[in-house]
Amino acid sequence: MSPKQVAPTGVDPYFPTHGDARYRVHRYELVLDYRPGPNRLGGSARLSAVAGAAALAEFALDLAEFRIGRVLVDGRAAHYTHRAGKLRIRPAKALAAGAAFTVEVHYTGNPKPVRSQWGGLGWEELTDGALVASQPVGAPSWYPCNDRPADKASYQISVTTPTPYTVIAGGRLLSRTTRSSSTTWVYEQPAPTSSYLVTVSIGQYATVRLIEGSTTPSPNRTVPQTAYLPARLLPEFTTDFARQARMMHHFEDLFGPYPFGEYAVVVADEELDVPVEAQGLATFGTNHLDGSRTSERLVAHELAHQWFGNSVSIADWRHIWLNEGFAKYAEWLWAEYAGGRTAAAHAATAHALLAGLPQDLRLGDPGKKLMFDDRLYQRGGLTVHALRCALGEEAFFRMVKDWAVRNRHGVVATADFTAHADRYAAAPLDGLFHDWLDDPLLPPLPTAGVSR
């Protein structure tokens, strides 16, 4: 199925200074050189873009504090200003409405995370290497971009770094070339990708092939899965990720074919507060391995994001429950399938937890302050479970798979989902969605056959 074509939406109300809705990017080509010791990053970014409905006398990219070498638009030098995270560009000649154009930015500097209310976001220097965790607005910490989740593009990423280091990025490894003491790694991600879901990890890692298989896209294909981790953690990893292949097959049964060509897992040689999903890749910390599968629910959560959040992406951050609610519910579905507690039991636990917490979260538009509150995850999972109870098993699972398949590589909003789910219901779901998405007061625990 071809990607759902959605026109770029307007300004994100949670991050009004990020992105530029007057144009869209369809491809990024990043050529980077990174030296881990001095934490030095330099290179170029070439963006292929299309102007919107109006002519562009100027436009903007998001980029943190780097030194700009030059900026070209369609190969010609352009005027620019760069301050407060915005690279404002004025082409030598205004771009016509609907015109295709290219932007090339050369830059150098010491990358560092973008400051936010959730701490540093984006490029993070490790004790030995680096990683990128950009959700929601950390992408400008390492490359110039139109930083809006709805503006999805394909990517080619080339990274040159000292030869002892492994470079991992989302997508297929096209080449690895060693010259003298440096190695260049080139990755291609052809699937439309939101800027915050682009990642790079650099470290001295062992490589484990979880599954060897064809990359030919077919419903019954085996998805190639690779892990990169410190060699000393191989015994724990072997246990903790032993069921990921089975998990992949189960999620394909539930949600439709895996939407990308491959899936990679990085265990960074650092402790991380939480794992982080990226397009075709998830990053965990050493603290998520213990040889006892204690964090297996997180393995399921990050894998589920490949369908919900990555392939099916949100138009803006108001709709984040569509990402996190389905990923949370996938944790419960996996536990149910693997012989653990049922999804209903998990729902009851989540409901009891939320009942004792403040009732001030509006799930369908939580506000910037609460968009990563744990209550959003729990209530999102409960909302999906409420739909399961209201629709019944057959209609519910058909609805979920159709949602993921029909919107593959597309951009959606909450209204798209509510309209979609309504088509599978014997009675209107307006009351259910009002109670769970619009009213901060926690509804009763959902049970089978109950539509509100």
Side-chain angles (χ1 to χ4, degrees):
M1 180 175 291
S2 61
K4 180 179 178 182
Q5 298 300 313
V6 176
T9 56
V11 171
D12 190 316
Y14 292 3
F15 302 97
T17 64
H18 275 254
D20 187 336
R22 296 173 295 176
Y23 70 97
R24 61 182 177 86
V25 183
H26 61 84
R27 182 165 176 81
Y28 291 79
E29 294 174 354
L30 308 180
V31 179
L32 308 174
D33 187 287
Y34 181 65
R35 302 292 120 176
N39 184 39
R40 187 73 173 169
L41 178 68
S44 66
R46 179 183 172 86
L47 289 64
S48 300
V50 178
L56 290 179
E58 59 90 25
F59 59 92
L61 294 171
D62 299 288
L63 181 64
E65 300 172 9
F66 288 93
R67 184 165 59 253
I68 306 297
R70 57 178 175 159
V71 176
L72 306 176
V73 176
D74 290 333
R76 299 178 64 186
H79 297 287
Y80 65 88
T81 60
H82 184 214
R83 54 179 172 268
K86 278 292 185 183
L87 178 60
R88 301 189 182 278
I89 300 170
R90 181 174 291 274
K93 181 181 179 182
L95 301 166
F101 65 98
T102 61
V103 187
E104 191 172 327
V105 180
H106 295 252
Y107 61 104
T108 57
N110 301 102
K112 61 183 179 181
V114 173
R115 286 181 292 183
S116 79
Q117 68 185 69
W118 308 282
L121 303 172
W123 190 282
E124 182 177 346
E125 183 184 9
L126 305 178
T127 303
D128 189 22
L131 63 79
V132 170
S134 291
Q135 190 180 23
V137 289
S141 69
W142 66 287
Y143 74 101
C145 57
N146 192 8
D147 195 26
R148 304 163 57 245
D151 195 17
K152 300 170 70 170
S154 66
Y155 282 78
Q156 185 173 106
I157 302 175
S158 170
V159 182
T160 300
T161 201
T163 295
Y165 291 88
T166 298
V167 175
I168 309 105
R172 182 166 63 96
L173 178 63
L174 297 183
S175 64
R176 183 179 63 190
T177 307
T178 299
R179 291 187 178 89
S180 185
S181 59
S182 294
T183 298
T184 300
W185 306 68
V186 181
Y187 286 85
E188 175 74 27
Q189 176 55 270
T193 305
S194 301
S195 52
Y196 81 94
L197 291 169
V198 184
T199 192
V200 169
S201 277
I202 299 170
Q204 300 196 44
Y205 296 133
T207 303
V208 178
R209 307 287 182 186
L210 278 73
I211 291 182
E212 297 286 347
S214 169
T215 57
T216 303
S218 68
N220 299 314
R221 69 184 174 94
T222 298
V223 178
Q225 299 175 62
T226 310
Y228 305 87
L229 65 152
R232 69 179 187 280
L233 296 177
L234 280 168
E236 291 86 352
F237 179 87
T238 300
T239 298
D240 293 329
F241 283 78
R243 303 202 292 189
Q244 182 178 279
R246 185 180 168 199
M247 192 184 289
M248 175 71 80
H249 286 299
H250 183 53
F251 285 175
E252 286 196 304
D253 287 342
L254 295 180
F255 311 142
Y258 177 73
F260 307 111
E262 52 285 301
Y263 185 57
V265 167
V266 176
V267 180
D269 201 359
E270 299 271 340
E271 291 193 359
L272 302 179
D273 291 339
V274 293
V276 183
E277 84 276 4
Q279 194 95 324
L281 188 155
T283 303
F284 295 79
T286 56
N287 50 309
H288 298 123
L289 300 185
D290 63 4
S292 300
R293 292 207 299 263
T294 303
S295 296
E296 189 176 66
R297 72 171 186 86
L298 300 176
V299 178
H301 187 102
E302 304 311 327
L303 178 58
H305 270 313
Q306 302 306 320
W307 286 265
F308 305 107
N310 298 12
S311 173
V312 183
S313 302
I314 52 176
D316 63 60
W317 291 105
R318 291 173 295 179
H319 313 290
I320 189 173
W321 84 273
L322 287 170
N323 297 359
E324 302 303 345
F326 274 100
K328 172 58 71 174
Y329 201 65
E331 297 177 27
W332 302 352
L333 290 173
W334 169 250
E336 187 172 80
Y337 175 79
R341 299 171 68 213
T342 64
H346 281 284
T349 299
H351 193 274
L353 172 68
L354 291 177
L357 297 174
Q359 306 286 308
D360 61 351
L361 174 73
R362 185 167 173 254
L363 186 65
D365 188 357
K368 180 179 175 181
K369 182 179 178 182
L370 297 179
M371 61 184 284
F372 293 119
D373 193 295
D374 186 59
R375 291 173 296 164
L376 181 137
Y377 294 64
Q378 302 292 343
R379 184 160 176 153
L382 277 166
T383 301
V384 178
H385 189 68
L387 279 169
R388 182 179 179 181
C389 292
L391 296 177
E393 296 293 281
E394 190 277 333
F396 170 77
F397 284 106
R398 185 159 47 88
M399 181 275 292
V400 171
K401 180 180 283 189
D402 287 350
W403 172 250
V405 171
R406 291 176 183 176
N407 294 289
R408 180 182 175 96
H409 301 318
V411 175
V412 298
T414 295
D416 299 316
F417 178 72
T418 57
H420 172 82
D422 254 324
R423 291 195 285 270
Y424 297 78
L429 297 172
D430 297 9
L432 183 152
F433 285 126
H434 173 269
D435 292 352
W436 285 100
L437 298 178
D438 300 329
D439 191 340
L441 186 65
L442 181 68
L445 177 67
T447 56
V450 177
S451 61
R452 284 184 68 95

